[in-house]
């Protein structure tokens, strides 16, 4: 008994350490620490994706998270990197219509963040009004593997402008702009936001003209991922009246995709960056038109759906990222403590009572076994040992310490011990017995 008492603090300490270890592992699993570095796949220099990525990078830096921009050939390569677990890319920009959730499984959408218009720039004295007029031209359509190239081939193909009927040059961004101005190509097929340097440079260059899509509505019917937009007259430069007339454009949307295992805290930070960058009005859309929760190509992440519906949580509004994680863990511990504590408040008294009674019931069991052994020995061959066992039980029980509320049960046990001893004290003893047995027999 005393040995058990000495070991109990050690056992309790070990139990506490084990419980704390399990709780810590559970918190690390369900609320993991956010990484200090994240990689986003953008595109080539001067592309819209790079422009967006640089703005995200500044916002991530405010939360002490380093956002590295991975330069790529565009949307197709971004999808490949996101699906490769060894590529180290967690976030990527993808243009609509390039792929979808069926062909690119395991990726989740954070929503659409902007229109990505298709700009057909050219240098020629006569206006180009239809895509069929591009046959026989040298067209900069972007490098192989870029979303610009994939979509250009699909749209141009509807107008009969294929690689057999035109020269498709793998240039994009500033390289395409320089090639157009230098006369290396006849057409620069640019897909990007109106605010990017490449698009602004071509729109403001007096030598360069912009084609209007008179059949823009037809293309939106043929390609559901496309939308029809209008670039209003003078919106680029009122004083110089750029553009000189309303220009019809077709555009796809930009989706922000993430790997399904991206840290939840980074997801929240990403959604906040998207809201800050894309919530502003643009040349082709109004304020708060983006980001949107609708994505026709990829499944929307549950955390993104909740963010669009309810906005950022109270902690996300007022606490820095590193503190949010600790606050969430503290809340989780509190909730778990309450969830476990309330049932324990009901069952703990019952458990305590059972534990006290268990100590007494153990000696009742010993007493019952002893009584059965004596009944099985009518000749008294082992009576001396049995009487000494009763004496030992009584001596041990007299040293038991239990709460005052259970004292009556202790005295009941001691009374039952006395009854058993007196019942068998008069039994014959087959052999000589020591004086202690006489004492046990007499009851003194």
């Amino acid at each position: 008994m005393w040995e058990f008492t000495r070991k109990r603090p050690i056992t309790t300490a070990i139990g506490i350490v084990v419980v704390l270890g399990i709780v810590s592992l559970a918190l690390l699993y369900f609320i993991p620490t956010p990484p200090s570095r994240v990689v986003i796949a953008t595109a080539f220099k001067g592309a819209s994706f790079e422009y967006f990525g640089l703005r995200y990078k500044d916002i991530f830096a405010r939360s002490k998270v380093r956002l590295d921009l991975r330069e790529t050939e565009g949307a197709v390569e971004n999808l490949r990197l996101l699906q490769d677990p060894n590529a180290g890319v967690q976030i990527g920009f993808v243009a609509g219509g390039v792929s979808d959730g069926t062909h690119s499984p395991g990726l989740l959408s954070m929503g659409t963040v902007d229109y990505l218009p298709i700009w057909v720039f050219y240098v020629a004295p006569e206006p180009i009004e239809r895509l069929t007029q591009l046959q026989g031209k040298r067209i900069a359509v972007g490098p192989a593997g870029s979303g610009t190239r994939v979509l250009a081939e699909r749209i141009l193909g509807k107008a009969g402008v294929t690689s057999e009927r035109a020269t498709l040059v793998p240039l994009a961004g500033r390289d395409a702009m320089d090639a157009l101005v230098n006369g290396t190509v006849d057409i620069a097929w640019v897909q990007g936001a109106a605010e990017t340097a490449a698009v602004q440079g071509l729109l403001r260059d007096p030598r360069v003209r912009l084609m209007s899509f008179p059949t823009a509505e037809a293309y939106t019917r043929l390609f559901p991922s496309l939308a029809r937009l209008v670039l209003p007259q003078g919106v680029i430069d009122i004083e110089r009246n750029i553009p000189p007339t309303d220009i019809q454009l077709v555009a796809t949307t930009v989706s922000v995709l993430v790997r399904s295992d991206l840290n939840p805290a980074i997801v929240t930070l990403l959604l906040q960056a998207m809201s800050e960058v894309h919530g502003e009005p643009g040349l082709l859309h109004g304020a708060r038109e983006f980001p949107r929760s609708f994505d026709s190509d990829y499944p929307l992440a549950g955390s993104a759906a909740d963010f669009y519906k309810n906005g950022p949580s109270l902690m996300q509004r007022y606490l820095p990222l590193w503190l949010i994680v600790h606050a969430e863990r503290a809340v989780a511990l509190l909730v778990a403590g309450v969830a476990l504590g309330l049932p324990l408040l009901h069952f703990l008294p019952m458990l305590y009572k059972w534990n006290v009674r268990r100590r007494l019931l153990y000696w009742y069991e010993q007493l019952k076994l002893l009584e059965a052994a004596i009944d099985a020995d009518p000749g008294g061959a082992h009576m001396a040992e049995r009487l000494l066992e009763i004496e030992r039980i009584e001596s041990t029980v007299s040293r038991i310490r239990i709460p005052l509320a259970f004292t009556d049960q202790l005295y009941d046990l001691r009374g039952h011990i006395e009854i058993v001893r007196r019942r068998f004290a008069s039994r014959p003893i087959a052999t000589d017995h020591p004086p202690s047995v006489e004492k046990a027999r007499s009851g003194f």
Side-chain angles (χ1 to χ4, degrees):
M1 179 179 177
W2 292 108
E3 183 180 359
F4 170 78
T5 304
R6 288 194 301 271
K7 289 182 178 179
R8 185 161 54 186
I10 299 176
T11 305
T12 302
I14 293 174
I16 292 173
V17 171
V18 170
V19 170
L20 289 177
I22 293 174
V23 170
S24 299
L25 290 175
L27 289 175
L28 287 173
Y29 179 79
F30 291 107
I31 311 177
T33 302
S36 59
R37 175 180 175 270
V38 185
V39 179
I40 181 170
T42 55
F44 40 82
K45 293 291 185 181
S48 296
F49 294 169
E50 184 198 37
Y51 171 76
F52 297 148
L54 289 172
R55 297 197 62 187
Y56 287 11
K57 184 175 183 176
D58 293 337
I59 296 172
F60 271 60
R62 298 203 300 255
S63 296
K64 310 301 181 184
V65 177
R66 175 181 167 185
L67 181 65
D68 290 339
L69 275 60
R70 175 77 65 87
E71 185 177 339
T72 69
E73 295 295 340
V76 176
E77 186 178 357
N78 291 355
L79 286 170
R80 180 181 61 79
L81 292 173
L82 282 170
Q83 290 184 289
D84 182 359
N86 300 317
V89 173
Q90 297 85 28
I91 310 169
F93 293 108
V94 177
V98 174
S99 184
D100 53 38
T102 302
H103 296 91
S104 302
L107 303 180
L108 298 175
S109 173
M110 294 290 102
T112 53
V113 294
D114 205 346
Y115 289 120
L116 207 60
I118 295 170
W119 311 86
V120 181
F121 293 106
Y122 62 96
V123 176
E126 298 298 327
I128 296 177
E129 298 176 344
R130 302 179 65 84
L131 289 181
T132 53
Q133 295 175 252
L134 302 187
Q135 294 183 15
K137 304 291 186 181
R138 297 166 298 170
I139 310 171
V141 291
S146 67
T148 301
R149 175 104 181 208
V150 171
L151 198 56
E153 290 178 344
R154 290 178 183 174
I155 295 175
L156 288 171
K158 287 293 183 180
V161 184
T162 63
S163 57
E164 290 77 20
R165 296 183 177 181
T167 303
L168 304 183
V169 183
L171 295 177
R174 186 168 295 279
D175 291 336
M177 179 176 68
D178 293 340
L180 178 65
V181 174
N182 296 333
T184 309
V185 298
D186 304 308
I187 305 294
W189 183 287
V190 179
Q191 189 172 355
E195 293 81 5
T196 59
V199 173
Q200 285 287 321
L202 290 173
L203 286 172
R204 294 175 182 277
D205 192 324
R207 297 167 294 176
V208 178
R209 306 175 75 168
L210 175 62
M211 184 189 118
S212 181
F213 280 79
T215 55
E217 188 64 32
Y219 280 103
T220 64
R221 303 296 176 89
L222 294 172
F223 301 96
S225 61
L226 295 179
R228 184 176 69 88
L229 301 177
V230 175
L231 184 68
Q233 177 181 353
V235 72
I236 302 299
D237 191 321
I238 291 290
E239 182 181 357
R240 297 170 58 191
N241 194 31
I242 302 175
T245 61
D246 288 353
I247 303 293
Q248 290 196 74
L249 302 172
V250 291
T252 184
T253 52
V254 180
S255 297
V256 177
L257 303 186
V258 300
R259 290 178 53 85
S260 58
D261 57 357
L262 183 62
N263 184 279
I266 300 299
V267 169
T268 299
L269 181 58
L270 175 61
L271 287 166
Q272 290 175 333
M274 289 165 55
S275 297
E276 183 174 337
V277 172
H278 304 287
E280 302 171 353
L283 295 177
L284 297 172
H285 62 81
R288 302 302 170 189
E289 189 174 342
F290 289 103
R292 292 176 179 172
S293 60
F294 176 75
D295 193 325
S296 59
D297 295 329
Y298 304 92
L300 189 69
S303 54
D306 181 70
F307 184 89
Y308 288 119
K309 181 179 179 181
N310 303 313
S313 66
L314 188 64
M315 288 191 293
Q316 292 165 357
R317 287 191 180 97
Y318 299 106
L319 296 181
L321 181 66
W322 66 269
L323 187 56
I324 289 177
V325 176
H326 296 291
E328 288 178 343
R329 289 175 177 174
V331 171
L333 280 177
L334 180 62
V335 172
V338 171
L340 295 175
L342 289 178
L344 283 178
L345 289 177
H346 175 70
F347 290 107
L348 198 58
M350 299 171 59
L351 182 64
Y352 178 70
K353 182 177 180 180
W354 171 84
N355 187 50
V356 175
R357 285 185 54 79
R358 179 183 60 82
R359 297 168 60 190
L360 300 179
L361 289 174
Y362 169 79
W363 293 110
Y364 270 112
E365 182 182 9
Q366 297 301 310
L367 193 62
K368 183 178 180 181
L369 293 174
L370 182 60
E371 188 176 16
I374 294 174
D375 288 339
D377 184 24
H382 302 284
M383 186 59 65
E385 291 85 347
R386 304 290 186 256
L387 291 174
L388 287 174
E389 181 65 15
I390 292 177
E391 185 178 42
R392 186 189 69 81
I393 291 174
E394 183 180 31
S395 175
T396 304
V397 169
S398 66
R399 295 196 297 271
I400 294 178
R401 298 292 181 265
I402 62 174
L404 186 62
F406 299 92
T407 304
D408 57 335
Q409 298 182 31
L410 177 61
Y411 278 101
D412 286 343
L413 174 58
R414 294 174 66 177
H416 292 146
I417 294 172
E418 182 64 21
I419 290 173
V420 173
R421 185 174 61 170
R422 290 187 178 279
R423 177 182 174 189
F424 297 107
S426 59
R427 292 285 186 90
I429 300 177
T431 58
D432 295 337
H433 46 271
S436 60
V437 175
E438 287 291 348
K439 179 179 178 183
R441 178 189 289 278
S442 62
F444 295 102

